Amino acid sequence: MLAAMPDSAPSPVSAGSAPPRAGGDACPGTLRLHRADDGALARVRIPGGVLTAAQADALLAAADRFGDGELHLTSRGNVQLRGLGAECGGELAELLTAAGLLPSAAHERARNVVASPLAGLDGPSPLRAWLTGLDRLLCGSPAAAALSGRFLFALDDGRGDVDALGADVTLIAADDDCLLRIGAGDEVFRLPSADEGPRAALRAAEAFLRAARGSGAWRVRDLSEGVRAELVRTVGATAGPAVRRPRPRTATPPAPGRHGSSNAISVGVPLGRLTPAQWRLLTGTARHHGGELRLTPWRGVVVPGPFGRPEDAAEALGALAAAGLITAPDSPWTGVGACIGHPGCAKSSSDVRAEAGAAVGPVGRLPVYWSGCERRCGHPQGEWIDVVATPDGHRVSHVRGERRDPPKTVRDDPAALAAAVAAARSRSPSR
């Protein structure tokens, strides 16, 4: 039987170079469970966030059979199952393998791929071909099995949404071009053709593994500046000509509501947690209108449709709103996120999810993320309001990429905390 593993390490807030990691990569997966205060946790990688309705049914069955019944969306469009028994790993793996969610045991934690969730809804896009091609190549590469559970690929359809997430390897569709970005640098490489995208992305990841050998680096940003520059030069030598294309500073998730000529709909999930009833409703909606769900890196779901008539989309959105999901941009939950907090995590200083709910108010211009400790697990990228619970109160600060304003500490006063968060969120985003 597969036992739960030790707690995983945090992801850093800064995008700068990090020191070598102590110990191995303990990032959870499906075959390596994570020990939490509410039981074991499994993280199921969903490349591109794309699920069939049948696969969604299998995830719900796994949550019901082995865990607490709920499904938790992550900041990479993956699904976490919580409250698992520590000895369920073998049966869980069998269930997910049968559903096509675990194509390679050796690569299950390396299948970290985010993709623009609206790709193809408003015109032709190469992203689906990139996604299936990259996942196939990843699972077929013995070297890629050594990628850490934190290494991230992004497939951007040109709108800049997932390019802004600071992935380690990013493919960008730009008119008829395929661009390749390594890390967060402003330089991209123009590949000879769009068909070359998946193979070029895999080669870049394998080059990272060679560059990182012996350094303890899990991601491109963990490399020293010199090694990172050499990696970019090495990849560029075979990729194609370099052009300047600064990475977007802020990711823009799909607005809740209806999208595109196909009447696709997008919904947000408050704090990323879906009850069995909400999951069944989403799955049933997808099954009735095309059969596919797309989980987003902003803890939301896109149902691509087609819905036929505009009133069909409106009816679906009404049912989802009644179930407690975010279906319009003016929802007070828009842009609000939080880690699992207490009691699910022993490291958390408070129940930050309850605190986030108590502080929900008018929609803010900036997203806010509540963390129960300095680890800030699952925090967003770009510009956001950071709320961290400490034994001395909550620290509220404005984060702009690698820069952070001096924090304001609010001590044991829920009303004052809600006011401080609302004021911070109301600031105009930086240009």
Side-chain angles (χ1 to χ4, degrees):
M1 289 291 185
L2 297 169
M5 298 299 289
D7 291 346
S8 59
S11 59
V13 172
S14 171
S17 177
R21 309 290 187 172
D25 174 18
C27 192
T30 299
L31 304 179
R32 175 182 292 181
L33 303 184
H34 168 93
R35 186 170 56 245
D37 270 20
D38 57 352
L41 175 154
R43 184 174 299 157
V44 186
R45 267 67 177 188
I46 314 291
V50 177
L51 284 172
T52 65
Q55 289 173 328
D57 287 340
L59 286 169
L60 180 59
D64 179 65
R65 179 178 174 186
F66 304 115
D68 62 8
E70 297 185 329
L71 298 104
H72 299 256
L73 306 187
T74 77
S75 60
R76 292 184 168 187
N78 295 320
V79 171
Q80 290 187 162
L81 309 178
R82 301 190 67 93
L84 304 172
E87 301 300 320
C88 76
E91 292 178 276
L92 175 63
E94 289 177 6
L95 189 158
L96 297 179
T97 298
L101 293 167
L102 188 59
S104 170
H107 297 82
E108 63 106 2
R109 294 190 308 145
R111 300 172 69 231
N112 288 308
V113 187
V114 295
S116 298
L118 299 179
L121 299 184
D122 46 11
S125 171
L127 258 66
R128 183 54 61 91
W130 288 355
L131 180 60
T132 56
L134 177 58
D135 194 36
R136 183 182 67 252
L137 290 170
L138 267 176
C139 291
S141 165
L147 290 170
S148 84
R150 291 168 178 78
F151 193 92
L152 180 64
F153 296 89
L155 309 180
D156 192 291
D157 68 351
R159 72 187 72 220
D161 51 357
V162 298
D163 188 14
L165 298 180
D168 299 282
V169 176
T170 302
L171 292 178
I172 307 163
D175 297 323
D176 293 328
D177 289 330
C178 177
L179 307 177
L180 173 69
R181 188 190 307 278
I182 308 300
D186 288 345
E187 190 176 57
V188 297
F189 301 100
R190 183 179 287 115
L191 301 179
S193 71
D195 294 342
E196 286 293 311
R199 192 164 299 280
L202 176 64
R203 285 198 299 263
E206 292 174 340
F208 162 79
L209 287 171
R210 293 190 293 271
R213 189 175 293 129
S215 70
W218 293 339
R219 302 196 60 187
V220 169
R221 67 187 181 192
D222 297 336
L223 298 171
S224 67
E225 185 176 347
V227 174
R228 192 161 59 235
E230 181 58 31
L231 169 64
V232 172
R233 284 194 292 270
T234 299
V235 172
T238 58
V243 296
R244 179 176 170 79
R245 186 186 175 106
R247 182 170 67 90
R249 295 183 60 182
T250 302
T252 303
R258 178 185 162 201
H259 287 269
S261 58
S262 65
N263 297 329
I265 60 173
S266 173
V267 299
V269 179
L271 303 182
R273 185 171 71 181
L274 286 156
T275 65
Q278 290 171 327
W279 188 263
R280 288 191 191 96
L281 182 58
L282 279 165
T283 303
T285 303
R287 182 174 279 110
H288 190 63
H289 295 287
E292 181 178 286
L293 296 165
R294 299 183 187 181
L295 312 181
T296 80
W298 302 277
R299 297 179 175 89
V301 182
V302 170
V303 181
F307 283 81
R309 304 171 303 162
E311 51 265 39
D312 294 335
E315 181 180 349
L317 287 167
L320 293 165
L325 298 175
I326 303 167
T327 60
D330 60 356
S331 166
W333 281 104
T334 299
V336 178
C339 71
I340 195 64
H342 185 78
C345 176
K347 291 181 171 62
S348 179
S349 296
S350 68
D351 185 352
V352 288
R353 294 194 163 206
E355 291 168 342
V360 161
V363 178
R365 292 187 178 91
L366 294 170
V368 58
Y369 196 80
W370 297 68
S371 300
C373 73
E374 297 288 351
R375 291 155 59 95
R376 298 177 173 87
C377 295
H379 69 80
Q381 299 291 324
E383 189 168 9
W384 50 289
I385 301 303
D386 181 34
V387 183
V388 180
T390 74
D392 298 321
H394 292 74
R395 291 203 308 271
V396 182
S397 57
H398 186 174
V399 178
R400 302 174 182 84
E402 297 180 34
R403 297 183 294 135
R404 175 188 298 276
D405 287 355
K408 175 182 179 180
T409 299
V410 182
R411 305 181 188 278
D412 301 326
D413 185 339
L417 178 58
V421 171
R425 295 190 70 197
S426 68
R427 297 171 186 164
S428 296
S430 298
R431 297 286 186 241

